[in-house]
Amino acid sequence: MTTVPPDTTPEELDAALTRASAAAPLLAGLAPSERAALLEAVATALDAAADELVPLAMEEAHYPEARCRGELGRTTFQLREFAELLRDGSYLEVAVDPADPEWGTPRPDVRRVLVPLGPVVVFGASNFPFAFATAGGDTASALAAGCPVVAKAHPGHPKLARRTAEIVVDALAGAGAPEGTFGLVHGVEAGRAAVLHPLTRAVGFTGSIPGGRALFDLAASRPDPIPFYGELGSVNPVFVTRAAMGARGDEVLQGYAESANMGAGQFCTKPGVVFLPEDAKLDALVADFAERGASSLLNDRVAQGFDRVLGGLVDHPATEVLVRGRRTDEGWSPSLLRTDLDSLLENADTLLEECFGPATLVVTYADERRLLEASGVLKGQLTVTVHGEEDDAVAPALLALGASVAGRVVWNGWPTGVAVTHAMTHGGPYPATTAPLHTSVGTTAIRRFLRPVTYQSVPQSLLPAVLRDDNPLGVPRRVDGAHPSV
Amino acid sequence: MTTVPPDTTPEELDAALTRASAAAPLLAGLAPSERAALLEAVATALDAAADELVPLAMEEAHYPEARCRGELGRTTFQLREFAELLRDGSYLEVAVDPADPEWGTPRPDVRRVLVPLGPVVVFGASNFPFAFATAGGDTASALAAGCPVVAKAHPGHPKLARRTAEIVVDALAGAGAPEGTFGLVHGVEAGRAAVLHPLTRAVGFTGSIPGGRALFDLAASRPDPIPFYGELGSVNPVFVTRAAMGARGDEVLQGYAESANMGAGQFCTKPGVVFLPEDAKLDALVADFAERGASSLLNDRVAQGFDRVLGGLVDHPATEVLVRGRRTDEGWSPSLLRTDLDSLLENADTLLEECFGPATLVVTYADERRLLEASGVLKGQLTVTVHGEEDDAVAPALLALGASVAGRVVWNGWPTGVAVTHAMTHGGPYPATTAPLHTSVGTTAIRRFLRPVTYQSVPQSLLPAVLRDDNPLGVPRRVDGAHPSV
């Protein structure tokens, strides 16, 4: 029987960051392929511990087994993806500009490479106890970059966090990583103190807007402000055109119900606001929502937040309740609400608040050209989705609207499910994230934890190996502005 | 006779940002090669106006003509460099990942490209009235990215700023740029209001630590925080090893005097703190400083700040004044001070404050291995320089120290003079900058004003041209993780 870990004391936190700081130059000094081996060792160890970890996740996050096993697989896949990225080496963005007396400015030999920032503090999410938590994407990308990680355990799954951390620490040690490469802390105060700790060089966070903003403000208030990569909130608007609804309305509404209720609506990419023609037949959608059973929510805090936001939507004079979910002993059954475009535009602050849990809002429209007015009220989003036909007159403008407010624009699909791949963006303007230049999913997530350093006129024997003319690590380089090659 | 422009009113500021915001989608919608033509038109117009602009710069910044002409040349070279970068297209970081049912996560077709952030507010520097001001590097990189710019005129050269802006606006209009692509505002309050304006999407700043930090804090305090790229302050430590001093001490000290006094010491890359062996003969260095004449400083504010910081150094019990510069009718003559390593370590906060102007501090050391202790007190720097011999035992550790605190590490050279090239980094950890991931000089400076957007499952006919399979713009792309190619 495992117990809930106690809060980390200030002394323990300081020790964890001191160890991380001591590990930083050693971890940075490893060749990328050596760090790749560390990531793979962690992946192997986590996979091997699935039968131990999955039950802990089921117990603490109240997800079914298949979901937990799938998410663990995603997590270890992600670690291996970063290992592959390290072996390729192009993520280092090496550029070599030989001296050139004919250049438009004085130009000595200059060579650029990305180097790790130093210790990173990672705040995991409640809703992905594996993939966005202790050994999730932020941790994987920071370690890949060469940054030691101090993870803050999410209070929703402290036992899983602790066991995951033990496995990570053991795997790293077994693979020869510097001591202090990974640590775990518990408790709200330890989290705040970690953001303010002088040795912390960056923060990764996945969670709510209020929680993330409070920590962002702390990071910005430091004597030396540090990058804060927060993935906060999004309502992930979905625009369904008249033509799409006419061509395959049943399929669209069925997909909507599936996506909105995935994980009991506890996805940051849940389609929270779906624009449909006002004459769309919603009977089947309503029946689908009404027939769905109850699901446990992640934890009491999520449940309280959900109750509060849903209550506000239900009580709002501009909404109509199509299905009122109920709370039973098994949890919450889904809710479906409706408003119209004018009401949304007039009450955007309230109606566009993220409702994290099993509830979603249909917005009906009369004139689909007026959908573009939504751009005036939509804040930054992780995703915008368009269901349309290729010859839809309004489709190009809706896609452009999507690109202007979101990090990902989805066509005729659903935003839940984020591919871990090179071209992925899981990010967006505030409040989707606090750092619109970046993504927290996909291989370019590593860029958050690297900064450029340029070596000027340094002789071959004193250059880092990655910058030497003989390129012993075989890293792709941009020489004199040409496209990267080995 | 030109007059000093009045402060911009709140209404005028709002109008400028509203025009910029209206221009944003139009500017973003241009092909990169079309934006390249705009930048080239600006460069041509500024070059053509040299005989008008240079006298204004000489009058307002008190620099000699050659310096002003050289700096204008650097400025227009920079604009043309970004034009070339746009024509190449690799800066867009296009990645195409075809759908793959065998992938470790569900993987539809996803395609990534960088898009402009939107209107950027640029605060120019006092000390580079061309290259880091109205039409300087921040403006060039933001326009190249596709972001309209509202520049805040530096109060040290308001007339030059106004005339430069007129030329930029005319050149952009003549080349077919959207109205509102560039605007200029004047006054402290307009600057603060611009950082807080809802339509502003990012800020570029070059200036002092207090000024930059105040604006950074404003940007972070917004309801929607925005990226703030501030290049603030640096003392640019230079380590001279015993071996280097022995091999070519005269040359090193001569280079030191030249670099430290360039532009009357008003370079952000001035070598402000130079570590020399305690037995180094400083007579020639002292004579060199003592013989140098007086130079005007940029403006009264710079002069007052210089007086204050220099006074603190002179009065500090741990320093010895080797040359006490004087204020004459012609301006300030240079000062040279000395302390020792132990005193520096004990009084780092005071002795390592940037002294912007003609003064520099020699730090003598007895044991060169103890130089590494400086890493404990050095904050983030734009540059660290090492003068050594290739077989110096201490050189590798000093170079590593440099890379750990600075954006650029210089070997056997001087930090003044920043090549505008692909591999350059003009940046570093706080307080060198507020954004350690970035550079404000060199082609990668464009990355500050771009964010990624991923298109998922969007049909060919609805994709932006740059992401289509037929690649009509001929942009290099990373397909399925392979190295970029056209």
Side-chain angles (χ1 to χ4, degrees):
Chain A
M1 188 64 189
T2 55
T3 54
V4 173
D7 282 3
T8 300
T9 66
E11 294 71 28
E12 289 166 339
L13 173 71
D14 187 58
L17 277 159
T18 301
R19 281 194 301 271
S21 185
L26 305 173
L27 192 63
L30 297 178
S33 61
E34 294 174 305
R35 280 206 305 279
L38 301 183
L39 297 180
E40 287 163 341
V42 171
T44 301
L46 291 172
D47 276 340
D51 290 344
E52 183 187 359
L53 296 174
V54 165
L56 280 175
M58 293 167 64
E59 174 197 334
E60 292 189 313
H62 314 118
Y63 284 139
E65 177 172 350
R67 151 76 200 246
C68 293
R69 286 202 182 269
E71 191 190 323
L72 176 57
R74 174 191 179 86
T75 306
T76 58
F77 175 79
Q78 189 161 252
L79 285 158
R80 294 189 180 98
E81 272 292 287
F82 280 111
E84 198 174 308
L85 184 78
L86 293 181
R87 292 216 162 82
D88 171 73
S90 55
Y91 80 97
L92 290 166
E93 296 185 13
V94 171
V96 175
D97 289 333
D100 183 351
E102 307 295 314
W103 197 246
T105 62
R107 176 171 141 173
D109 180 287
V110 283
R111 294 163 189 248
R112 172 185 189 261
V113 63
L114 301 186
V115 302
L117 283 180
V120 171
V121 171
V122 170
F123 290 79
S126 62
N127 59 338
F128 280 86
F130 291 116
F132 288 83
T134 313
D138 284 353
T139 294
S141 50
L143 290 178
C147 298
V149 168
V150 173
K152 152 75 168 60
H154 195 283
H157 26 78
K159 294 189 281 186
L160 175 64
R162 181 172 57 183
R163 190 65 196 114
T164 302
E166 288 167 354
I167 291 165
V168 170
V169 167
D170 286 352
L172 288 170
E179 203 258 316
T181 296
F182 184 85
L184 183 73
V185 297
H186 297 267
V188 173
E189 268 316 304
R192 290 172 50 91
V195 172
L196 290 171
H197 196 285
L199 295 174
T200 302
R201 296 290 90 212
V203 180
F205 172 92
T206 311
S208 71
I209 294 178
R213 180 62 192 256
L215 293 175
F216 168 88
D217 289 342
L218 282 186
S221 78
R222 292 170 55 110
D224 58 335
I226 55 175
F228 183 91
Y229 304 107
E231 189 249 274
L232 310 188
S234 182
V235 297
N236 304 295
V238 177
F239 297 98
V240 182
T241 69
R242 282 197 179 282
M245 203 63 200
R248 49 200 163 81
D250 292 350
E251 181 193 328
V252 166
L253 296 183
Q254 201 176 332
Y256 174 21
E258 286 298 326
S259 180
N261 289 301
M262 204 174 276
Q266 299 167 116
F267 271 45
C268 48
T269 51
K270 180 189 76 175
V273 178
V274 178
F275 296 81
L276 296 171
E278 63 181 1
D279 53 2
K281 297 277 178 291
L282 301 183
D283 308 358
L285 183 72
V286 168
D288 183 325
F289 269 72
E291 284 161 19
R292 284 176 187 261
S295 310
S296 293
L297 297 191
L298 284 158
N299 55 58
D300 289 346
R301 196 162 152 196
V302 166
Q304 283 159 17
F306 174 66
D307 248 7
R308 180 184 61 77
V309 179
L310 178 60
L313 288 173
V314 166
D315 294 342
H316 198 285
T319 64
E320 172 191 0
V321 179
L322 301 178
V323 178
R324 178 60 159 121
R326 291 172 195 287
R327 180 174 183 173
T328 69
D329 289 347
E330 285 79 45
W332 280 255
S333 63
S335 292
L336 182 67
L337 291 93
R338 183 171 69 170
T339 189
D340 60 37
L341 182 58
D342 281 320
S343 298
L344 185 82
L345 297 176
E346 283 160 26
N347 303 281
D349 279 352
T350 314
L351 300 185
L352 289 175
E353 185 176 359
E354 184 180 11
C355 185
F356 193 77
T360 176
L361 178 66
V362 168
V363 181
T364 53
Y365 63 83
D367 176 356
E368 72 184 357
R369 288 166 305 184
R370 287 198 56 219
L371 286 176
L372 300 173
E373 295 176 30
S375 72
V377 297
L378 289 175
K379 296 178 181 174
Q381 303 290 336
L382 293 170
T383 71
V384 164
T385 297
V386 180
H387 279 273
E389 299 292 296
E390 280 200 48
D391 57 358
D392 251 334
V394 74
L398 287 173
L399 289 169
L401 185 166
S404 75
V405 300
R408 181 162 55 112
V409 181
V410 180
W411 175 260
N412 286 359
W414 296 95
T416 41
V418 186
V420 176
T421 178
H422 305 287
M424 180 47 65
T425 303
H426 188 61
Y430 191 89
T433 79
T434 58
L437 270 63
H438 296 281
T439 176
S440 60
V441 176
T443 51
T444 60
I446 197 173
R447 190 63 181 82
R448 297 175 295 170
F449 304 114
L450 296 162
R451 67 180 176 87
V453 172
T454 294
Y455 289 78
Q456 179 173 319
S457 306
V458 176
Q460 292 290 314
S461 63
L462 291 170
L463 278 173
V466 72
L467 293 180
R468 293 209 312 256
D469 284 344
D470 61 351
N471 194 9
L473 303 186
V475 166
R477 298 124 74 92
R478 174 180 289 269
V479 177
D480 207 7
H483 295 159
S485 60
V486 178
Chain B
M1 187 69 187
T2 55
T3 53
V4 173
D7 282 3
T8 300
T9 66
E11 295 70 29
E12 289 166 339
L13 173 71
D14 187 59
L17 277 159
T18 301
R19 281 193 300 271
S21 185
L26 304 173
L27 192 63
L30 296 179
S33 61
E34 294 173 306
R35 281 204 305 279
L38 301 183
L39 296 180
E40 286 163 343
V42 171
T44 301
L46 290 172
D47 278 338
D51 289 343
E52 182 186 0
L53 296 174
V54 165
L56 281 175
M58 292 167 63
E59 174 198 333
E60 292 190 312
H62 313 119
Y63 284 140
E65 178 171 350
R67 150 78 200 246
C68 293
R69 288 202 182 269
E71 192 189 323
L72 176 57
R74 176 191 178 86
T75 306
T76 57
F77 176 78
Q78 189 161 253
L79 286 158
R80 293 189 181 98
E81 272 292 288
F82 280 111
E84 198 173 308
L85 185 79
L86 293 180
R87 292 217 163 82
D88 171 75
S90 55
Y91 81 97
L92 291 166
E93 297 186 12
V94 171
V96 175
D97 290 333
D100 182 352
E102 307 295 314
W103 198 245
T105 62
R107 176 170 141 174
D109 181 285
V110 283
R111 296 165 187 246
R112 171 186 189 261
V113 65
L114 301 186
V115 302
L117 282 180
V120 171
V121 170
V122 170
F123 290 77
S126 61
N127 59 338
F128 281 87
F130 291 116
F132 288 82
T134 313
D138 283 355
T139 294
S141 49
L143 290 177
C147 298
V149 168
V150 173
K152 151 76 169 62
H154 195 284
H157 26 79
K159 294 189 281 187
L160 176 64
R162 181 173 56 184
R163 189 64 196 115
T164 302
E166 288 167 355
I167 292 165
V168 171
V169 167
D170 285 352
L172 287 170
E179 204 257 317
T181 296
F182 183 85
L184 183 73
V185 299
H186 296 267
V188 174
E189 267 316 304
R192 292 172 50 91
V195 172
L196 291 171
H197 196 283
L199 295 175
T200 301
R201 296 291 90 214
V203 180
F205 172 92
T206 310
S208 71
I209 295 179
R213 181 62 191 256
L215 293 175
F216 168 87
D217 288 344
L218 281 185
S221 77
R222 293 169 54 110
D224 57 335
I226 55 174
F228 183 90
Y229 304 109
E231 191 248 273
L232 309 189
S234 183
V235 296
N236 304 295
V238 176
F239 298 98
V240 183
T241 69
R242 281 197 179 283
M245 203 63 200
R248 48 197 164 81
D250 292 350
E251 180 193 329
V252 167
L253 296 184
Q254 201 175 333
Y256 173 20
E258 286 298 326
S259 180
N261 289 301
M262 205 174 275
Q266 299 166 117
F267 271 44
C268 49
T269 52
K270 181 189 75 174
V273 178
V274 178
F275 295 81
L276 295 171
E278 63 181 2
D279 52 4
K281 298 276 177 292
L282 301 184
D283 309 358
L285 183 72
V286 168
D288 183 325
F289 268 72
E291 285 161 19
R292 284 176 188 261
S295 309
S296 293
L297 297 191
L298 285 158
N299 55 59
D300 289 346
R301 196 162 153 195
V302 165
Q304 285 158 17
F306 174 67
D307 248 6
R308 180 184 62 76
V309 179
L310 178 60
L313 288 173
V314 166
D315 294 342
H316 198 285
T319 64
E320 173 191 0
V321 178
L322 301 179
V323 179
R324 178 60 159 121
R326 292 173 192 287
R327 181 173 183 174
T328 69
D329 288 348
E330 284 80 45
W332 281 254
S333 63
S335 293
L336 182 67
L337 292 94
R338 183 170 68 168
T339 190
D340 60 36
L341 182 58
D342 281 320
S343 298
L344 184 82
L345 297 176
E346 284 161 24
N347 303 281
D349 279 353
T350 314
L351 300 185
L352 289 175
E353 185 176 357
E354 184 179 9
C355 184
F356 193 78
T360 175
L361 178 66
V362 168
V363 181
T364 53
Y365 63 85
D367 177 355
E368 76 184 354
R369 287 166 306 184
R370 287 198 57 218
L371 286 175
L372 300 173
E373 295 176 28
S375 72
V377 298
L378 289 175
K379 297 179 180 173
Q381 303 290 336
L382 292 170
T383 70
V384 164
T385 297
V386 180
H387 279 273
E389 298 293 296
E390 279 199 51
D391 57 358
D392 251 334
V394 74
L398 288 173
L399 289 168
L401 186 166
S404 75
V405 300
R408 181 163 54 112
V409 181
V410 180
W411 175 261
N412 287 359
W414 296 95
T416 41
V418 186
V420 176
T421 176
H422 305 289
M424 180 47 64
T425 303
H426 188 62
Y430 191 90
T433 78
T434 58
L437 271 62
H438 296 280
T439 176
S440 60
V441 176
T443 50
T444 60
I446 197 174
R447 190 63 182 80
R448 298 175 294 170
F449 304 114
L450 296 162
R451 66 180 176 88
V453 171
T454 295
Y455 288 78
Q456 179 172 320
S457 307
V458 176
Q460 292 291 314
S461 62
L462 291 171
L463 278 173
V466 72
L467 292 181
R468 292 208 312 255
D469 284 344
D470 61 352
N471 195 8
L473 303 187
V475 166
R477 299 125 73 93
R478 176 179 285 270
V479 177
D480 207 6
H483 295 160
S485 61
V486 178

